[in-house]
Amino acid sequence: MSTETPTEPHGAASPAPSPSGALSRRDQILREAARLFAERGFHGVGVDEIGAAVGISGPGLYRHFAGKDAMLAELLVGISERLHEGGRMRLAEAVAADAPATEALDALIAGHIDFALNDRALITLHDRELDRLRDADRKRVRRLQREYVELWVSVVREVHPELDEAEARTAVHAVFGLLNSTPRLSRPAALPDQAVTAALLHRLARGAFAAGAVRNGTAPDGIRPD
Amino acid sequence: MSTETPTEPHGAASPAPSPSGALSRRDQILREAARLFAERGFHGVGVDEIGAAVGISGPGLYRHFAGKDAMLAELLVGISERLHEGGRMRLAEAVAADAPATEALDALIAGHIDFALNDRALITLHDRELDRLRDADRKRVRRLQREYVELWVSVVREVHPELDEAEARTAVHAVFGLLNSTPRLSRPAALPDQAVTAALLHRLARGAFAAGAVRNGTAPDGIRPD
DNA sequence: TCCTGCGGTTAATGTTCGTTAACCTCGCTC
DNA sequence: GAGCGAGGTTAACGAACATTAACCGCAGGA
């Protein structure tokens, strides 16, 4: 509960991932905490376990974080920011390059896939442990999430104007669910190959949006694109 | 831990939902527990809360269940069985009616959507709290999940023979993620209309599979080495 | 009318767990 | 080479919580 951040080395949020190669102790902790939280849930992991995962024990964590909550908060805020910022950047690039909207959408999809495949634990946490956050942090994360969704919605509606606002939003959420499904794919090794999987997911996402926009009769066999 | 099931009124698993109208106390408890577990996670909910949600308090639950674990187990096993059984039945019907594979796939999709929209809490639990189960129950649930997936994979490959086994499985998992995304859609009220949403999700799912099967040259080039 | 068992109650118990206290030991800097 | 702060350690504390104990009222059949 203490809002005083007793022993926080860094001032605020700058991740400062690593100067080179090795991670700082602080980042080691974040990485392991993310993995454990994703595996067994926030309440299912004890601080002793997190400590053990980085070779120190229990209360030693308090030299780096104000508490267990603070770790989760930093993880969730960090993800949301990176996702949002990544999306914003890719979109800005596409606009700057005068690219068609379909390319912008592809860029968003590719970016999200990249994230989903490389930060599985964080993706899992992202929509699983949000409510454990303090009010301020939760609001921040939600705002970033909302803005990220709106980014997608605007591009999707540009590519598929037949979709109204609500449909586009639902479709975007659904495609997020689709893209974020890989962490639930039992084992990393079960995936054929990262590149193959990425390409497949990309096709699935594009196809979903395209089909969502086609509001024809009930004929299931009429859905031949091209 | 006690494997002795001290005070279990029913012998085994028969849900026996309700004779008419009102739910039995036992089913009330299951319903509220599902909701709470989905909202705040298994470890995030106390037995007192579950009790309060049905108007009795705390340890009164132990007249109906052997423990908190038993509630979760019954919920998860129940979902898996209903999902699996529903899929198996729809598939059998399609086969009996000599329907084309696309219709069988549509039946699977429609059934899953129905489930996702009507049992949001259970869907959420389904892939979130599996590891909290005792070994026996977890294996049972996993087997049912696996068989359910295989059901889908076989039909999907019939409809889209271009997909190899691994791709089809990944696609099926991804589409599950897509269909299961509605619980994460902040508010139930945010959905336009259940029927509209169901139709949209159905189109998205069909489109995803169709696009997944088309491995053409218009590369998304999603894989950009950073 | 008695008694039995179902479905409750509150109080107690034992454990787990987050957090704090108190203490220690290096590696640096003056 | 004294001092000191960063980053550990173990022990202690207190709250939360699942589970059990002990007790109770009452519906309904004998």
Side-chain angles (χ1 to χ4, degrees):
Chain A
M1 294 302 163
S2 62
T3 346
E4 319 169 28
T5 65
T7 355
E8 200 127 2
H10 306 58
S14 64
S18 68
S20 71
L23 295 86
S24 73
R25 173 59 35 110
R26 198 160 194 280
D27 291 324
Q28 283 180 55
I29 294 172
L30 283 176
R31 164 177 304 235
E32 293 305 305
R35 186 177 56 80
L36 289 167
F37 289 162
E39 273 174 16
R40 302 215 288 285
F42 180 68
H43 291 295
V45 179
V47 289
D48 289 354
E49 284 176 279
I50 302 173
V54 297
I56 73 182
S57 221
L61 296 171
Y62 286 75
R63 298 290 164 199
H64 303 274
F65 293 94
K68 207 180 147 196
D69 299 348
M71 298 180 212
L72 183 67
E74 187 154 332
L75 285 172
L76 291 187
V77 170
I79 311 165
S80 317
E81 276 174 351
R82 279 166 53 203
L83 258 184
H84 175 263
E85 184 57 18
R88 208 189 51 70
M89 256 184 43
R90 285 162 197 272
L91 206 51
E93 279 173 18
V95 167
D98 229 344
T102 62
E103 263 178 45
L105 183 53
D106 277 332
L108 286 183
I109 294 173
H112 195 104
I113 289 174
D114 196 56
F115 198 82
L117 290 180
N118 292 323
D119 289 283
R120 302 157 65 107
L122 293 181
I123 279 286
T124 301
L125 286 184
H126 191 235
D127 60 16
R128 192 165 294 197
E129 310 282 0
L130 219 178
D131 338 310
R132 273 59 143 187
L133 257 51
R134 283 170 31 223
D135 259 34
D137 290 324
R138 188 172 55 250
K139 275 178 182 155
R140 175 124 179 260
V141 170
R142 271 215 233 271
R143 188 171 55 75
L144 287 165
Q145 284 182 345
R146 203 179 330 122
E147 286 175 14
Y148 184 61
V149 169
E150 292 314 312
L151 235 59
W152 279 68
V153 167
S154 71
V155 177
V156 165
R157 291 199 69 199
E158 213 172 329
V159 176
H160 302 291
E162 310 92 317
L163 289 171
D164 69 36
E165 182 90 11
E167 286 175 323
R169 211 185 315 281
T170 302
V172 166
H173 274 280
V175 168
F176 285 173
L178 185 151
L179 297 178
N180 294 347
S181 66
T182 40
R184 283 187 266 292
L185 224 40
S186 49
R187 291 284 160 172
L191 297 174
D193 178 7
Q194 182 127 334
V196 173
T197 303
L200 176 57
L201 288 176
H202 201 124
R203 273 180 281 144
L204 294 172
R206 269 207 300 221
F209 282 131
V214 176
R215 207 160 347 187
N216 58 6
T218 43
D221 36 359
I223 306 287
R224 288 279 206 79
D226 308 336
Chain B
M1 294 303 163
S2 61
T3 347
E4 320 169 28
T5 65
T7 354
E8 199 127 2
H10 306 59
S14 63
S18 68
S20 71
L23 296 85
S24 73
R25 174 59 33 113
R26 198 160 195 280
D27 291 324
Q28 282 181 55
I29 295 172
L30 282 176
R31 164 177 305 235
E32 293 305 306
R35 186 178 55 79
L36 289 167
F37 289 161
E39 273 175 16
R40 301 214 290 285
F42 179 69
H43 291 294
V45 179
V47 288
D48 290 352
E49 283 176 279
I50 303 173
V54 298
I56 72 182
S57 221
L61 296 172
Y62 286 76
R63 299 288 165 202
H64 303 274
F65 292 93
K68 208 179 145 196
D69 299 348
M71 298 179 212
L72 183 67
E74 187 154 331
L75 285 172
L76 290 188
V77 170
I79 311 164
S80 317
E81 276 173 352
R82 279 165 53 203
L83 257 184
H84 175 263
E85 184 57 18
R88 208 188 52 70
M89 258 183 43
R90 284 162 197 271
L91 206 52
E93 279 172 17
V95 166
D98 230 343
T102 61
E103 263 178 46
L105 182 54
D106 277 330
L108 285 183
I109 294 172
H112 196 104
I113 288 174
D114 195 56
F115 198 82
L117 290 180
N118 292 322
D119 289 283
R120 302 156 65 104
L122 292 181
I123 279 286
T124 300
L125 286 184
H126 191 236
D127 60 17
R128 193 165 293 197
E129 310 282 0
L130 219 178
D131 338 311
R132 273 57 143 188
L133 258 50
R134 283 169 32 222
D135 260 34
D137 290 324
R138 189 173 55 249
K139 277 179 180 155
R140 175 125 178 260
V141 170
R142 271 214 234 271
R143 188 170 55 74
L144 287 165
Q145 285 184 344
R146 204 179 329 123
E147 286 174 13
Y148 184 62
V149 170
E150 292 314 311
L151 234 59
W152 279 68
V153 167
S154 71
V155 177
V156 166
R157 292 199 68 199
E158 214 172 329
V159 176
H160 301 291
E162 310 91 316
L163 289 171
D164 68 37
E165 183 91 10
E167 286 175 323
R169 211 185 316 280
T170 303
V172 166
H173 274 281
V175 168
F176 284 172
L178 185 151
L179 296 178
N180 294 347
S181 66
T182 38
R184 283 186 264 292
L185 225 38
S186 49
R187 290 282 163 171
L191 298 174
D193 178 8
Q194 183 127 333
V196 173
T197 303
L200 175 58
L201 288 176
H202 201 126
R203 273 180 281 145
L204 294 172
R206 269 207 299 226
F209 281 133
V214 177
R215 208 162 345 188
N216 58 8
T218 67
D221 79 61
I223 308 97
R224 292 196 295 167
D226 292 9

